[in-house]
Amino acid sequence: MKKKKLVLVGNGMAGVRCIEEIFKIDPEAFEITIFGSEPHPNYNRILLSTVLQGDTSIEDITLNEWDWYKQNDIQLFTGETVVKINKDRKQVYTDQERIVEYDELILATGSLPFMLPLPGADKEGVTAFRDIQDCQTMIDSAQNYKKAVVIGGGLLGLEAARGLLNLGMEVDVVHIFDYLMERQLDPTASKMLQKN
Ligand SMILES: Cc1cc2nc3c(=O)[nH]c(=O)nc-3n(C[C@H](O)[C@H](O)[C@H](O)COP(=O)(O)OP(=O)(O)OC[C@H]3O[C@@H](n4cnc5c(N)ncnc54)[C@H](O)[C@@H]3O)c2cc1C
């Protein structure tokens, strides 16, 4: 019987885990194609902070090596973004003018960080903290610059600040709330983060 065509848009943790679960049910059910905008195989985004802090390398946080895709006959397109879906024709279109047909389509495109709409937000040296490229930007910047400002004193902001400190930078954290990590902590617990 001809296999159904499954296209996954988003080569991240949720999407690839979904493919792994499909394999557990029936590894032969689909001919699979995966598109990922990032030029990497699936990696553990949660551990990016440890890469920034210098504890691990990008290789260490890879969840599915390039070989995994080959071994499972997955057609993988990295560094390629799906820009259009035609539901009537059951086709996806990419920024590299590729057109791929599907019977089933999974969208697991994650989320984008909110960049403050401020003048200068598009300047060199301003970055979000979401992917390997952002980590690399911070690591490279630390080699050329001394001072960093982190906007946001939530979990990720503080993890970024820790990483930048480890990279030898002087770091200021600017937070909109009157105490840090207000989504996780109450004021008393937050105060315990202070040195004295
Ligand atoms: C530094 C950091 C620390 C975190 N720590 C924690 C934690 O401790 N606990 C926790 O629960 N969560 C944590 N998170 C959040 C967690 O990483 C995300 O919830 C998780 O990665 C979401 O997985 P996902 O597969 O839905 O999306 P993503 O991991 O964002 O993957 C989606 C992928 O799809 C790609 N994509 C998007 N659009 C397209 C397109 N049109 N075509 C092709 N590809 C596309 C993206 O480039 C991306 O690679 C953290 C996040 C960060 C950045």
Side-chain angles (χ1 to χ4, degrees), residues 40-94:
H40 307 284
N42 178 35
Y43 63 89
N44 189 337
R45 197 174 299 285
I46 293 170
L47 294 180
L48 275 182
S49 306
T50 62
V51 174
L52 187 62
Q53 286 163 23
D55 298 335
T56 47
S57 69
I58 288 164
E59 288 71 33
D60 293 333
I61 67 166
T62 298
L63 291 169
N64 300 79
E65 305 283 347
W66 298 107
D67 273 354
W68 177 84
Y69 297 86
K70 276 197 197 137
Q71 282 157 10
N72 289 291
D73 279 332
I74 295 170
Q75 196 174 26
L76 173 67
F77 297 104
T78 51
E80 190 158 338
T81 299
V82 170
V83 291
K84 187 175 147 192
I85 299 164
N86 185 324
K87 284 199 291 178
D88 298 326
R89 291 190 173 174
K90 293 201 151 191
Q91 290 175 329
V92 295
Y93 302 71
T94 77

Side-chain angles (χ1 to χ4, degrees), residues 56-183:
T56 47
S57 69
I58 288 164
E59 288 71 33
D60 293 333
I61 67 166
T62 298
L63 291 169
N64 300 79
E65 305 283 347
W66 298 107
D67 273 354
W68 177 84
Y69 297 86
K70 276 197 197 137
Q71 282 157 10
N72 289 291
D73 279 332
I74 295 170
Q75 196 174 26
L76 173 67
F77 297 104
T78 51
E80 190 158 338
T81 299
V82 170
V83 291
K84 187 175 147 192
I85 299 164
N86 185 324
K87 284 199 291 178
D88 298 326
R89 291 190 173 174
K90 293 201 151 191
Q91 290 175 329
V92 295
Y93 302 71
T94 77
D95 60 351
Q96 294 179 31
E97 298 183 358
R98 198 185 307 277
I99 302 174
V100 173
E101 297 187 347
Y102 64 84
D103 297 302
E104 306 288 345
L105 177 66
I106 300 174
L107 301 181
T109 48
S111 57
L112 291 175
F114 173 67
M115 293 301 281
L116 290 176
L118 299 176
D122 55 350
K123 291 218 156 118
E124 193 195 325
V126 181
T127 183
F129 185 23
R130 178 74 195 172
D131 57 27
I132 287 177
Q133 180 58 53
D134 298 334
C135 259
Q136 198 55 53
T137 300
M138 286 190 258
I139 292 167
D140 294 345
S141 298
Q143 286 175 0
N144 297 316
Y145 303 102
K146 277 267 137 261
K147 293 188 176 183
V149 176
V150 175
I151 303 177
L155 200 60
L156 285 199
L158 297 185
E159 284 187 2
R162 177 74 261 167
L164 292 163
L165 280 174
N166 285 8
L167 291 167
M169 297 191 90
E170 285 171 39
V171 186
D172 286 309
V173 176
V174 180
H175 192 46
I176 195 166
F177 227 71
D178 52 7
Y179 63 94
L180 294 170
M181 288 180 67
E182 79 283 356
R183 293 207 182 180

